[in-house]
Amino acid sequence: MTLARSRDDLAAALAVDDRTGAPRAVAMTMGALHQGHFDLVTEAARLVGPGGTVVVTIFVNPLQFAAGEDLEAYPRTLEADVEGLVSILRAPDGEDALIVGRLIVFAPTPEVMYPDGDPAVRVDPGPIATVLEGATRPTHFAGVLQVVLTLMHLTRPRWALFGRKDAQQLAIVRAMVRDLAVPVEIVPVEIRREADGLAMSSRNAYLTAQEREQALALSRALAAGREAARAGADAAGVRTAALEVLEKAPGVEVDYAAVVDPDSFVDLSGAGLGLPGGSVQPAGAVELAGPSQPVGPVLLALAAKVGTTRLIDNALITCGGPVA
Ligand code: PAF
């Protein structure tokens, strides 16, 4: 395992691949790693094979946090993260041997990541970033893309893995790679859930025992949406079924329930984006125009506050009926 704290350390570690031609995949994280992150790493290992290199970046990116969000409180657990990564990639028969050629952990400070202070040139995430998560966190996705694109340039991977849990982030990263011709293949990885259905998230650590129980309303709402689709509901019916569960759940303050196209984030339910039960657009939001009939699965996306913790979850669902 190579722990790179500077850009020079990272460049030196990557130069080995440049000489050998070893394939490389990157999993970008903000640390506080859990099984959901380890799934990205395992998939990265599968893609690169026994001679390849897996790069895991660990960086709590200030640019994607707005004032008043949890930048300072965000858990930072580098030592445990590195131990976890080594153990997840350890070969079954070797003390120190890994199932890949090399593991590189890039854990820069903000000064290493942004050596000239706030970057002057910015990536514009486009219209998808104005709705749902973007309505509540208007600067978030610009900050995400800034760090993702910079990390792609620094790590030069063939594959970059992103979890489906952050479905809007995945769609926006894919759009950036397409629109800016970034030479990398984006690989989505399924949501990892606890045995009781709660989607894994580093922010689950903020939940009290009671809130953790209440948070199960999100996965129950997804199940209700899926069930409605199975019974023939269209996108609007799927959304209503999920919203009903969330609205009835004690301790849960709904931010949104939406049914959208998973790539374009076009609203498919006719309810308007960002507001539960309403059709009014949040200030600054763009109503994305798109087909009235979904081709392929739709994305049921939920966000709710449980206590002071804002949680998101989603599921890809195949609707049974036509969309109004
Ligand atoms: O998904 C995350 O953890 C972050 O948004 C990412 C992609 C590592 C960028 O900081």
Side-chain angles (χ1 to χ4, degrees):
M1 192 281 302
T2 304
L3 177 61
R5 301 306 306 262
S6 70
R7 290 179 178 219
D8 285 347
D9 293 346
L10 177 65
L14 299 185
V16 178
D17 292 348
D18 294 340
R19 283 196 295 276
T20 62
R24 185 159 66 235
V26 65
M28 298 179 193
T29 80
M30 297 205 301
L33 303 183
H34 51 67
Q35 191 54 50
H37 297 112
F38 294 143
D39 287 352
L40 302 181
V41 174
T42 307
E43 178 60 9
R46 193 189 66 75
L47 287 166
V48 301
T53 298
V54 171
V55 181
V56 178
T57 69
I58 298 181
F59 179 59
V60 183
N61 173 33
L63 295 187
Q64 67 191 74
F65 290 77
E69 289 186 351
D70 56 344
L71 173 61
E72 276 79 37
Y74 201 88
R76 287 159 172 86
T77 55
L78 182 60
E79 213 173 301
D81 290 347
V82 170
E83 270 174 33
L85 289 168
V86 170
S87 83
I88 217 79
L89 291 180
R90 186 170 285 133
D93 55 351
E95 274 281 287
D96 293 326
L98 300 179
I99 57 169
V100 289
R102 286 186 315 142
L103 165 65
I104 301 171
V105 178
F106 180 46
T109 58
E111 292 69 32
V112 166
M113 205 55 220
Y114 303 118
D116 300 307
D118 260 9
V121 174
R122 300 294 183 128
V123 187
D124 179 348
I128 302 175
T130 64
V131 298
L132 301 182
E133 287 307 289
T136 310
R137 310 179 72 193
T139 56
H140 174 67
F141 289 116
V144 169
L145 289 196
Q146 194 76 30
V147 81
V148 166
L149 187 60
T150 310
L151 287 170
M152 281 176 178
H153 288 139
L154 291 174
T155 60
R156 296 179 283 115
R158 174 159 163 202
W159 301 276
L161 296 99
F162 289 88
R164 287 198 188 276
K165 163 98 184 337
D166 294 303
Q168 198 169 355
Q169 168 173 284
L170 173 64
I172 292 173
V173 167
R174 278 177 149 161
M176 174 184 73
V177 163
R178 179 197 66 212
D179 291 349
L180 301 183
V182 185
V184 64
E185 190 183 320
I186 302 300
V187 181
V189 175
E190 292 312 316
I191 298 175
R192 172 66 79 141
R193 296 182 181 279
E194 306 282 359
D196 58 9
L198 183 69
M200 288 194 186
S201 162
S202 305
R203 290 196 168 100
N204 291 351
Y206 301 151
L207 299 169
T208 64
Q210 191 194 21
E211 289 165 354
R212 191 183 168 312
E213 200 55 35
Q214 293 169 334
L216 295 177
L218 278 90
S219 50
R220 279 205 316 273
L222 294 177
R226 210 178 280 112
E227 194 44 50
R230 222 174 273 134
D234 63 6
V238 166
R239 176 177 177 275
T240 303
L243 194 53
E244 269 173 18
V245 172
L246 286 183
E247 284 178 338
K248 280 193 198 132
V252 174
E253 193 189 316
V254 187
D255 184 355
Y256 61 75
V259 177
V260 298
D261 176 274
D263 296 319
S264 66
F265 272 66
V266 167
D267 175 29
L268 298 172
S269 74
L273 291 183
L275 299 175
S279 58
V280 185
Q281 286 299 298
V286 177
E287 186 60 78
L288 301 169
S292 57
Q293 194 82 17
V295 270
V298 301
L299 183 81
L300 171 59
L302 310 176
K305 246 182 166 182
V306 180
T308 54
T309 310
R310 195 164 171 285
L311 299 174
I312 57 171
D313 203 349
N314 70 77
L316 286 168
I317 290 178
T318 303
C319 282
V323 175

